[in-house]
mmCIF file of all heavy atoms in Angstrom:
data_model
loop_
_atom_site.group_PDB
_atom_site.id
_atom_site.type_symbol
_atom_site.label_atom_id
_atom_site.label_comp_id
_atom_site.label_asym_id
_atom_site.label_seq_id
_atom_site.Cartn_x
_atom_site.Cartn_y
_atom_site.Cartn_z
ATOM 1 N N VAL A 172 14.098 30.321 32.203
ATOM 2 C CA VAL A 172 13.178 29.190 32.106
ATOM 3 C C VAL A 172 13.086 28.560 33.494
ATOM 4 O O VAL A 172 14.073 28.093 34.039
ATOM 5 C CB VAL A 172 13.648 28.167 31.061
ATOM 6 C CG1 VAL A 172 12.626 27.032 30.937
ATOM 7 C CG2 VAL A 172 13.845 28.843 29.705
ATOM 8 N N VAL A 173 11.886 28.553 34.043
ATOM 9 C CA VAL A 173 11.684 28.193 35.442
ATOM 10 C C VAL A 173 11.321 26.717 35.580
ATOM 11 O O VAL A 173 10.316 26.258 35.042
ATOM 12 C CB VAL A 173 10.571 29.062 36.060
ATOM 13 C CG1 VAL A 173 10.431 28.760 37.553
ATOM 14 C CG2 VAL A 173 10.859 30.545 35.837
ATOM 15 N N HIS A 174 12.189 25.973 36.281
ATOM 16 C CA HIS A 174 11.922 24.579 36.665
ATOM 17 C C HIS A 174 11.666 23.675 35.445
ATOM 18 O O HIS A 174 10.633 23.006 35.351
ATOM 19 C CB HIS A 174 10.706 24.537 37.606
ATOM 20 C CG HIS A 174 10.721 23.368 38.542
ATOM 21 N ND1 HIS A 174 9.899 22.268 38.369
ATOM 22 C CD2 HIS A 174 11.440 23.108 39.665
ATOM 23 C CE1 HIS A 174 10.099 21.397 39.334
ATOM 24 N NE2 HIS A 174 11.029 21.877 40.136
ATOM 25 N N PRO A 175 12.588 23.608 34.496
ATOM 26 C CA PRO A 175 12.390 22.767 33.301
ATOM 27 C C PRO A 175 12.755 21.311 33.580
ATOM 28 O O PRO A 175 13.779 20.809 33.115
ATOM 29 C CB PRO A 175 13.336 23.405 32.282
ATOM 30 C CG PRO A 175 14.464 23.922 33.111
ATOM 31 C CD PRO A 175 13.858 24.357 34.423
ATOM 32 N N LEU A 176 11.898 20.605 34.315
ATOM 33 C CA LEU A 176 12.187 19.224 34.700
ATOM 34 C C LEU A 176 11.314 18.217 33.972
ATOM 35 O O LEU A 176 11.005 17.152 34.493
ATOM 36 C CB LEU A 176 12.041 19.059 36.224
ATOM 37 C CG LEU A 176 13.127 19.762 37.046
ATOM 38 C CD1 LEU A 176 12.912 19.548 38.528
ATOM 39 C CD2 LEU A 176 14.515 19.268 36.647
ATOM 40 N N SER A 177 10.916 18.558 32.761
ATOM 41 C CA SER A 177 10.318 17.602 31.826
ATOM 42 C C SER A 177 11.099 17.705 30.523
ATOM 43 O O SER A 177 11.744 18.724 30.253
ATOM 44 C CB SER A 177 8.836 17.915 31.579
ATOM 45 O OG SER A 177 8.695 19.112 30.834
ATOM 46 N N VAL A 178 11.037 16.663 29.726
ATOM 47 C CA VAL A 178 11.793 16.653 28.469
ATOM 48 C C VAL A 178 11.346 17.797 27.568
ATOM 49 O O VAL A 178 12.173 18.500 26.973
ATOM 50 C CB VAL A 178 11.639 15.296 27.751
ATOM 51 C CG1 VAL A 178 12.319 15.342 26.379
ATOM 52 C CG2 VAL A 178 12.241 14.174 28.587
ATOM 53 N N ASP A 179 10.036 18.002 27.461
ATOM 54 C CA ASP A 179 9.523 19.059 26.582
ATOM 55 C C ASP A 179 9.987 20.437 27.035
ATOM 56 O O ASP A 179 10.386 21.278 26.216
ATOM 57 C CB ASP A 179 7.998 19.011 26.543
ATOM 58 C CG ASP A 179 7.473 17.834 25.734
ATOM 59 O OD1 ASP A 179 8.238 17.290 24.917
ATOM 60 O OD2 ASP A 179 6.293 17.463 25.920
ATOM 61 N N ALA A 180 9.929 20.699 28.344
ATOM 62 C CA ALA A 180 10.329 22.011 28.860
ATOM 63 C C ALA A 180 11.817 22.248 28.656
ATOM 64 O O ALA A 180 12.238 23.338 28.240
ATOM 65 C CB ALA A 180 9.960 22.124 30.344
ATOM 66 N N LEU A 181 12.616 21.214 28.930
ATOM 67 C CA LEU A 181 14.068 21.372 28.775
ATOM 68 C C LEU A 181 14.437 21.532 27.302
ATOM 69 O O LEU A 181 15.290 22.340 26.950
ATOM 70 C CB LEU A 181 14.784 20.166 29.382
ATOM 71 C CG LEU A 181 16.298 20.310 29.575
ATOM 72 C CD1 LEU A 181 16.624 21.500 30.462
ATOM 73 C CD2 LEU A 181 16.892 19.030 30.154
ATOM 74 N N LYS A 182 13.787 20.772 26.437
ATOM 75 C CA LYS A 182 14.069 20.882 25.000
ATOM 76 C C LYS A 182 13.665 22.258 24.470
ATOM 77 O O LYS A 182 14.349 22.826 23.619
ATOM 78 C CB LYS A 182 13.339 19.792 24.219
ATOM 79 C CG LYS A 182 13.752 19.714 22.751
ATOM 80 C CD LYS A 182 13.079 18.548 22.054
ATOM 81 C CE LYS A 182 13.599 18.416 20.616
ATOM 82 N NZ LYS A 182 13.420 19.654 19.833
ATOM 83 N N ALA A 183 12.562 22.810 24.974
ATOM 84 C CA ALA A 183 12.145 24.152 24.552
ATOM 85 C C ALA A 183 13.196 25.189 24.927
ATOM 86 O O ALA A 183 13.503 26.089 24.145
ATOM 87 C CB ALA A 183 10.797 24.500 25.175
ATOM 88 N N ALA A 184 13.754 25.053 26.120
ATOM 89 C CA ALA A 184 14.816 25.982 26.550
ATOM 90 C C ALA A 184 16.036 25.858 25.655
ATOM 91 O O ALA A 184 16.621 26.861 25.229
ATOM 92 C CB ALA A 184 15.181 25.691 28.008
#
Side-chain angles (χ1 to χ4, degrees):
V172 183
V173 184
H174 207 255
L176 290 180
S177 70
V178 175
D179 287 340
L181 193 58
K182 189 176 185 304

